[in-house]
Amino acid sequence: MTIGASMPPTIDDRFENMIVSPERVFEMLGRRRVGEVTYEQSEQGDARRRLLHVEKVAIENKRLQQKSEASYVESINHQLHEILLGEMTEYLSHTAELCQATLSIPENMGELLDALSVRACTISKLEPIAASMPWLYDDLIAVVNTPRFRRKDSRGRIIVVETLRTALSFLGIENLRLLIPYFVLKRALPQVTDPYPQIKQKYLAYATGVALTAKHLAGETGLNKNEAYTLGILSNLGRCAVTRLYFKLFDKIQMHLLQECQKDKEQKRHAALLKITPSANHLIALQQEFADSVTADIFAHMQMTRLRLADAMRLCADNAPVERKTLSKTLHQARTYAQVRMLHQLKLVEMKEIKPLFSEQKYPAGSLEVLKSIDVFTLPLVKNEDH
């Protein structure tokens, strides 16, 4: 959906644009942010009304010239993104390299997630796998030494946790089932997304919202809650991969084309390339085209034997019909709920638009009322008193 279209934007269009930049949705809806004034109300508007006829003619000539330049810049922009699409398609076809180089997912992550999912999971089974991931040690140590989990010895002195085993023990299995998939997703988040700096925070909030909503809905329908949570949060790995690659490839291709222009003394093309910035419309289109299928490929690559994430994600990626009380249906429901809740926080959706959407998803009876009272964007960690 392009900005300025005559039809009102769908909920999905609003959400995808909000993730990139909330201001885009305000523009799509024809709204102004608080404190904004219209052009006619501004000093610029007053000044323009006082312009002499000669100045008006000069401005019109400049506008026509800019329109011509914009058309040329757009054609160069299209060429750049054609190259980018080809390279991205190639990158996304190599799942093993994508996991390791782009998302920093260890080869044995599937083994760790499987171990966590077992009802009889123990610290002694987790420790040797977790020990092979130094970044995970750093994340767990950082959490366990926060005031929330801090412990004191018999003399009242704060215990500083320094070993992986102690960190795992102090946190406890239930917290680890929330934290480890969260850290995997957090590690995969895109870091540099200029000129859209909010993407990283929005992805993390959305992934958490989907995961915790899915966990609650699974409890309502008799599904495995931890399995639904893990599917919910890691279903965004493909989104992270596409975004990381988009910004990386954009910079690489733009630089290469600029160097070609300098070499061939193409000044006009060089100037046009310098005006091009990463495109929200292209990024959103790439997400919609690739993200879910890439996630399904990643899950298959992880070779999880206990967690049934790969098949559930593949059904979503293929837009296949899904039955009620299945992981795939739960993911659909959780995504819809998290998207609406994030849009509602910014007043970008109205109740009359929400009701048919929720009705279509057929949530378990009473679940939406309960979800209203839950903070689905904050991990419900609890202090483990068993140690």
Side-chain angles (χ1 to χ4, degrees):
M1 177 100 185
T2 55
I3 292 177
S6 57
M7 292 291 291
T10 65
I11 300 297
D12 185 58
D13 282 330
R14 282 179 236 184
F15 173 75
E16 292 296 344
N17 279 276
M18 182 271 295
I19 286 283
V20 176
S21 172
E23 287 70 22
R24 289 174 59 86
V25 191
F26 282 99
E27 190 175 343
M28 292 167 80
L29 296 171
R31 297 185 195 169
R32 299 198 303 273
R33 300 297 298 268
V34 175
E36 286 182 342
V37 294
T38 63
Y39 176 79
E40 289 74 16
Q41 294 169 326
S42 69
E43 291 181 7
Q44 185 183 359
D46 292 336
R48 182 159 184 172
R49 280 191 292 270
R50 295 193 297 267
L51 285 176
L52 298 174
H53 175 70
V54 174
E55 291 173 309
K56 287 184 177 180
V57 171
I59 286 175
E60 177 62 12
N61 289 339
K62 184 177 181 182
R63 186 188 69 80
L64 292 173
Q65 181 184 353
Q66 288 174 337
K67 186 176 180 181
S68 174
E69 289 175 359
S71 178
Y72 179 71
V73 170
E74 185 56 38
S75 70
I76 301 300
N77 188 21
H78 178 74
Q79 292 171 16
L80 186 154
H81 280 92
E82 281 288 301
I83 299 169
L84 190 150
L85 174 62
E87 290 203 21
M88 178 168 286
T89 304
E90 177 65 20
Y91 269 95
L92 294 177
S93 67
H94 301 287
T95 307
E97 188 176 339
L98 187 72
C99 287
Q100 185 175 1
T102 304
L103 299 177
S104 302
I105 298 174
E107 280 294 313
N108 56 344
M109 180 50 67
E111 183 185 358
L112 179 59
L113 294 173
D114 268 342
L116 265 177
S117 71
V118 179
R119 183 173 296 179
C121 177
T122 62
I123 299 300
S124 60
K125 289 181 180 177
L126 291 179
E127 185 186 12
I129 312 173
S132 67
M133 307 173 192
W135 59 271
L136 184 56
Y137 165 83
D138 293 338
D139 285 340
L140 294 173
I141 289 294
V143 171
V144 80
N145 282 307
T146 58
R148 185 172 189 175
F149 291 99
R150 194 172 288 159
R151 303 196 185 204
K152 296 180 180 179
D153 62 18
S154 57
R155 296 183 181 181
R157 295 176 301 191
I158 292 172
I159 301 172
V160 179
V161 178
E162 296 179 336
T163 68
L164 179 61
R165 174 172 279 273
T166 305
L168 294 170
S169 299
F170 276 21
L171 290 169
I173 297 299
E174 289 309 309
N175 284 330
L176 292 171
R177 284 176 173 148
L178 294 173
L179 283 168
I180 289 178
Y182 178 86
F183 287 146
V184 174
L185 188 278
K186 195 174 179 183
R187 184 170 167 80
L189 288 172
Q191 299 303 308
V192 180
T193 57
D194 296 335
Y196 308 107
Q198 296 183 39
I199 288 179
K200 175 182 173 182
Q201 289 80 8
K202 296 291 186 187
Y203 278 4
L204 188 58
Y206 176 56
T208 306
V210 173
L212 293 178
T213 301
K215 183 176 182 180
H216 172 76
L217 293 173
E220 295 284 317
T221 54
L223 296 171
N224 185 303
K225 291 193 289 186
N226 292 316
E227 195 168 41
Y229 169 83
T230 305
L231 173 63
I233 203 158
L234 297 185
S235 65
N236 291 280
L237 286 174
R239 188 181 283 270
C240 292
V242 169
T243 305
R244 274 179 171 262
L245 282 174
Y246 175 76
F247 286 96
K248 176 184 175 182
L249 290 173
F250 182 94
D251 288 345
K252 173 191 162 190
I253 294 166
Q254 186 182 44
M255 182 60 68
H256 176 72
L257 293 176
L258 284 168
Q259 289 170 346
E260 277 190 348
C261 289
Q262 286 180 319
K263 181 181 175 184
D264 298 335
K265 295 183 170 58
E266 295 181 276
Q267 293 182 353
K268 183 181 178 182
R269 190 165 181 242
H270 189 276
L273 280 165
L274 288 174
K275 293 178 181 178
I276 297 171
T277 58
S279 160
N281 287 335
H282 281 94
L283 175 58
I284 290 168
L286 290 166
Q287 293 286 5
Q288 293 171 333
E289 178 69 22
F290 294 115
D292 280 351
S293 61
V294 170
T295 302
D297 291 343
I298 291 169
F299 286 169
H301 176 73
M302 285 185 178
Q303 297 182 319
M304 291 171 279
T305 56
R306 296 183 180 276
L307 285 170
R308 302 165 297 164
L309 308 189
D311 290 344
M313 194 67 226
R314 184 63 66 189
L315 286 173
C316 289
D318 294 342
N319 290 316
V322 293
E323 297 179 8
R324 297 177 69 177
K325 298 185 179 181
T326 62
L327 281 174
S328 299
K329 182 61 178 176
T330 300
L331 180 58
H332 280 302
Q333 292 170 330
R335 283 177 160 183
T336 299
Y337 182 80
Q339 288 177 13
V340 166
R341 191 140 158 187
M342 288 180 75
L343 288 169
H344 187 263
Q345 287 176 342
L346 295 174
K347 297 186 170 75
L348 295 174
V349 65
E350 297 179 14
M351 190 56 65
K352 64 182 180 182
E353 299 172 296
I354 296 173
K355 284 184 178 179
L357 205 60
F358 282 174
S359 177
E360 181 186 336
Q361 285 294 344
K362 296 182 171 59
Y363 289 88
S367 61
L368 290 173
E369 282 300 312
V370 176
L371 280 168
K372 274 187 192 177
S373 64
I374 298 174
D375 179 2
V376 296
F377 301 111
T378 305
L379 295 185
L381 303 175
V382 294
K383 190 165 184 178
N384 175 34
E385 301 293 354
D386 295 338
H387 188 77

